[in-house]
Amino acid sequence: MDKFSSLVFLVFAVVTFLLRRYDLSVANLIAAIGFAIFDYRLHIIVKFKLQHHWERKLRLLGNVIGYAGIASLIIIIVMRLLKISI
């Protein structure tokens, strides 16, 4: 992902929140947080004075959270298209 992916998902989270689609808003916010962790992992390491081996762990954590948010978005949209309720 590029540097603006977290910003794009954050904008989508705000827009879907204003449209009162709270489930989509939460999924977009989770994706935005995950990709923000991935994008700004070096800043986090310097800010909190972490050891260098945390870079790989933060990169993995950010990717897992970000792609889990995208997967939940896809599942929510498919469930709405198929009109399946939980």
Side-chain angles (χ1 to χ4, degrees):
M1 299 309 255
D2 61 348
K3 290 282 186 185
F4 298 111
S5 60
S6 59
L7 182 64
V8 168
F9 282 109
L10 187 61
V11 168
F12 284 153
V14 170
V15 169
T16 53
F17 181 79
L18 293 175
L19 293 174
R20 294 188 178 144
R21 303 289 185 186
Y22 301 118
D23 50 354
L24 292 174
S25 178
V26 170
N28 278 317
L29 186 63
I30 290 171
I33 290 171
F35 290 129
I37 291 172
F38 175 77
D39 290 338
Y40 300 109
R41 65 187 180 274
L42 298 176
H43 298 288
I44 294 170
I45 289 171
V46 171
K47 176 80 173 174
F48 295 112
K49 298 177 184 170
L50 299 173
Q51 295 178 359
H52 187 65
H53 70 277
W54 280 94
E55 190 267 333
R56 186 178 63 211
K57 293 176 184 177
L58 285 175
R59 182 180 55 202
L60 179 65
L61 178 71
N63 276 335
V64 167
I65 293 172
Y67 287 120
I70 291 175
S72 64
L73 276 171
I74 292 170
I75 290 170
I76 291 169
I77 291 170
V78 167
M79 288 177 64
R80 282 196 181 173
L81 287 175
L82 297 177
K83 298 186 180 180
I84 299 172
S85 63
I86 295 177

